[in-house]
Amino acid sequence: MVVFMGSVVAWLALFLGYMFTVKGHAFNYTEALSKSLIFLEAQRSGKLPPNHRVPWRGDSGLDDGKEANEDLVGGYYDAGDNVKYGLPMAFTVTTLAWSAIAYKSELQSAGELEHVQDAIRWGTDYFLKAASRHDRLYVQVGDPEKDHRCWVRPESMKGPRPVLEINDNTPGSEIAGETSAAMAASSMVFRRFDAPYARQLLNKAKMLFEFAKEHTHTFDGECPFYCSFSGFHDELSWAAAWLYTATHSGTYLKYIVEETVPAIVDEFNWDLKFAGVQVLLSKSFFEGTHELHTFKEHADSYICAALPESPYHKIPMTPGGLIHLRDGANLQYATGASFLFTVYGDLLKKFNQKIECGGRRFESTHLLAFAKQQMDYILGQNPLGRSYMVGFGKDPPQQAHHRGASVPLSEANSDVDCGMSFTRWFNKNAPNPNELTGAILGGPDKKDKFSDLRWTSVYTEPCTYVNSLAVGPLARLTRPLKKL
Ligand SMILES: *[C@@H]1O[C@H](CO)[C@@H](O)[C@H](O)[C@H]1NC(C)=O
């Protein structure tokens, strides 16, 4: 009898476990959230603080800015290389700040609010240095061409670190606009914790916005790695939308209503922010700013284009159900959609709204379920049954395309030239010696296939903004399932 009961209990436990892991796809979202933020620490440049959590990283780029007689120490490396690019760095910070604003209580309950704030401040401290002079903004440190011919960890970089800037003669509305958005959004995060710092950020945000719209021009200095394909109109609207959200000033509302180009888009990423503008401004519309109704309509159109059950759905998906727009950091499109669906879903719920796509009605729960499904795919609920986050879940990737993670510490100081560095550390079909914990990699191809090789960078390279966009949805998912 005891044996019988025991086996019933065992079977029951197995069955429930199956239901929970396979049907409920219950991942440990707190762990995924926590690890996402650890990855951002691995991307830090500059002098690392004592509480730094990635044991194999050290100080780097301590002379950054010297070429221009400036202090540009700090900030983030964007991906697997050692260059500091202004545009994606600012977008990373803007989206982190948005997550910290929208999901503050979830982050707090998960014990991660401080880590998010630290991650934001690591960026904004750097932007304050980059924007310390009124007539310019430093937008890049490092030479991408040379950097890409050398496979060394940032701690061992040798050679010049050229600096790029935008100014009155070489303007760049995308980067100035995005940096303005990052500063404005971050000012809201720090308002209650560090008011003087928040004011400093907001002032810079205002100045950068003026600069961005006075000289409207595309800066192509970050090409071919971060060329703006979508132009600067989205960054100008995005900056104005964040400034309006942070200040409620009529000046920015006027700009938004009169100058913003209406746009229907179906993706959200470091280059294209219209969908973010629409979702962000929908909140003000729901709160009573009627002038913003077109933004709410366009946010609905974005959802209708991305939601698989919608008759207007047009985003390419893999057979396994993942958004797949293009190889090369493709998971940014999944985390980007997941983020906006989460935020917009919660807004619809809070303001008791539904949306319609071609006569079909969708409720907040549809949006939140889609956001969850994209995150679950990344964490392991996919045809290959593997995780795309390093150090998380089942069968996670071993060969992230990442310099720091792939050079063993024991060889860190060996005298290896750039040519040799590829033979020694890059072209080696073996797991990285250092775990790039929490990095969400480029992800699978359009048929759900994945190649876990360091040199297939379209699948294995991580990017800061893939992760920053995952923070909001993961924080939201730490709430108990039934509260979805
Ligand atoms: C989930 O992860 C968190 C953080 O890593 C950990 O503290 C917690 O014990 C985990 N929960 C479960 C149910 O394993």
Side-chain angles (χ1 to χ4, degrees):
M1 192 61 190
V2 172
V3 172
F4 175 71
M5 282 298 289
S7 67
V8 166
V9 170
W11 276 107
L12 197 67
L14 259 178
F15 177 70
L16 286 177
Y18 172 81
M19 291 295 288
F20 204 54
T21 50
V22 179
K23 288 279 163 45
H25 319 156
F27 295 100
N28 188 336
Y29 298 110
T30 308
E31 181 191 342
L33 170 65
S34 171
K35 289 184 169 170
S36 296
L37 293 162
I38 292 178
F39 164 63
L40 292 175
E41 288 193 23
Q43 297 304 104
R44 285 176 174 180
S45 180
K47 176 134 192 62
L48 302 181
N51 64 358
H52 191 79
R53 293 179 291 169
V54 183
W56 45 270
R57 281 301 322 276
D59 299 346
S60 64
L62 296 180
D63 287 334
D64 280 3
K66 273 227 170 112
E67 295 229 336
N69 284 319
E70 300 282 353
D71 169 11
L72 296 174
V73 176
Y76 288 103
Y77 304 116
D78 71 308
D81 56 4
N82 303 336
V83 180
K84 300 196 293 199
Y85 295 101
L87 186 57
M89 197 195 302
F91 181 67
T92 300
V93 172
T94 314
T95 47
L96 276 178
W98 193 354
S99 313
I101 295 162
Y103 296 105
K104 188 175 162 202
S105 65
E106 287 81 358
L107 287 165
Q108 199 144 28
S109 312
E112 295 296 335
L113 185 60
E114 263 184 59
H115 290 137
V116 178
Q117 290 177 345
D118 289 348
I120 295 167
R121 203 185 265 257
W122 197 265
T124 49
D125 280 350
Y126 174 77
F127 295 140
L128 286 173
K129 292 179 178 183
S132 66
R133 293 180 188 256
H134 73 277
D135 61 346
R136 69 191 82 160
L137 174 69
Y138 291 101
V139 295
Q140 184 174 306
V141 183
D143 177 341
E145 298 295 344
K146 282 208 181 104
D147 190 279
H148 288 180
R149 287 200 297 267
C150 209
W151 191 265
V152 297
R153 59 202 295 269
E155 292 83 349
S156 323
M157 286 186 286
K158 288 195 191 90
R161 295 276 286 167
V163 170
L164 295 186
E165 66 176 60
I166 54 173
N167 52 44
D168 288 350
N169 299 322
T170 321
S173 300
E174 287 91 348
I175 305 187
E178 185 64 60
T179 312
S180 168
M183 303 292 240
S186 303
S187 78
M188 294 178 66
V189 173
F190 293 113
R191 215 174 255 174
R192 272 176 199 80
F193 297 89
D194 186 346
Y197 188 70
R199 266 197 302 279
Q200 204 184 352
L201 296 179
L202 189 57
N203 287 337
K204 282 290 175 203
K206 291 175 182 170
M207 284 173 49
L208 285 166
F209 179 62
E210 294 307 317
F211 178 67
K213 73 182 171 70
E214 252 164 50
H215 318 272
T216 45
H217 197 269
T218 290
F219 174 75
D220 56 16
E222 300 198 333
C223 273
F225 303 99
Y226 286 103
C227 301
S228 170
F229 297 103
S230 73
F232 49 73
H233 289 290
D234 55 331
E235 278 86 5
L236 288 175
S237 306
W238 180 232
W242 274 109
L243 281 162
Y244 176 64
T245 306
T247 62
H248 292 293
S249 151
T251 318
Y252 300 114
L253 182 59
K254 188 166 181 293
Y255 180 87
I256 290 163
V257 173
E258 289 175 7
E259 307 284 336
T260 291
V261 189
I264 299 195
V265 290
D266 50 21
E267 58 177 291
F268 179 52
N269 62 59
W270 63 265
D271 183 25
L272 188 59
K273 289 112 195 188
F274 284 118
V277 174
Q278 293 154 3
V279 170
L280 179 65
L281 292 177
S282 292
K283 178 163 189 281
S284 298
F285 169 73
F286 291 139
E287 287 167 350
T289 313
H290 302 292
E291 298 96 307
L292 295 173
H293 64 94
T294 49
F295 291 91
K296 192 266 173 195
E297 285 155 21
H298 290 162
D300 289 359
S301 303
Y302 161 74
I303 299 291
C304 294
L307 190 64
E309 301 86 25
S310 152
Y312 299 144
H313 177 252
K314 63 170 189 180
I315 296 200
M317 312 275 288
T318 67
L322 175 73
I323 289 179
H324 194 284
L325 285 161
R326 42 195 88 88
D327 277 337
N330 177 68
L331 286 181
Q332 72 181 300
Y333 309 114
T335 58
S338 183
F339 179 67
L340 290 188
F341 269 69
T342 304
V343 173
Y344 202 54
D346 279 334
L347 279 178
L348 293 180
K349 189 167 164 188
K350 181 171 176 201
F351 293 95
N352 203 15
Q353 301 271 330
K354 293 181 175 55
I355 70 166
E356 254 186 52
C357 307
R360 280 201 60 185
R361 295 192 125 196
F362 294 102
E363 307 198 25
S364 61
T365 45
H366 285 102
L367 276 63
L368 293 167
F370 180 61
K372 176 176 185 295
Q373 183 257 327
Q374 293 299 299
M375 291 315 300
D376 285 351
Y377 184 110
I378 293 171
L379 299 179
Q381 187 60 40
N382 56 55
L384 298 182
R386 66 184 302 167
S387 162
Y388 290 107
M389 178 187 277
V390 176
F392 178 91
K394 189 168 165 283
D395 197 12
Q398 303 292 321
Q399 294 199 31
H401 174 97
H402 190 273
R403 285 162 176 70
S406 60
V407 178
L409 278 189
S410 56
E411 300 171 27
N413 297 321
S414 48
D415 208 11
V416 173
D417 65 23
C418 288
M420 275 302 290
S421 65
F422 283 91
T423 334
R424 183 97 165 247
W425 297 313
F426 177 77
N427 289 314
K428 204 181 218 179
N429 190 358
N432 284 337
N434 311 311
E435 186 187 272
L436 189 62
T437 308
I440 299 174
L441 304 192
D445 67 11
K446 60 176 190 264
K447 294 192 169 140
D448 300 296
K449 297 282 184 290
F450 181 63
S451 155
D452 187 11
L453 294 167
R454 200 170 297 106
W455 51 88
T456 54
S457 64
V458 290
Y459 309 121
T460 54
E461 189 160 18
C463 294
T464 54
Y465 42 87
V466 183
N467 271 60
S468 66
L469 289 163
V471 168
L474 290 174
R476 178 62 172 80
L477 286 165
T478 62
R479 278 200 223 165
L481 264 185
K482 61 178 181 301
K483 291 198 184 156
L484 192 74

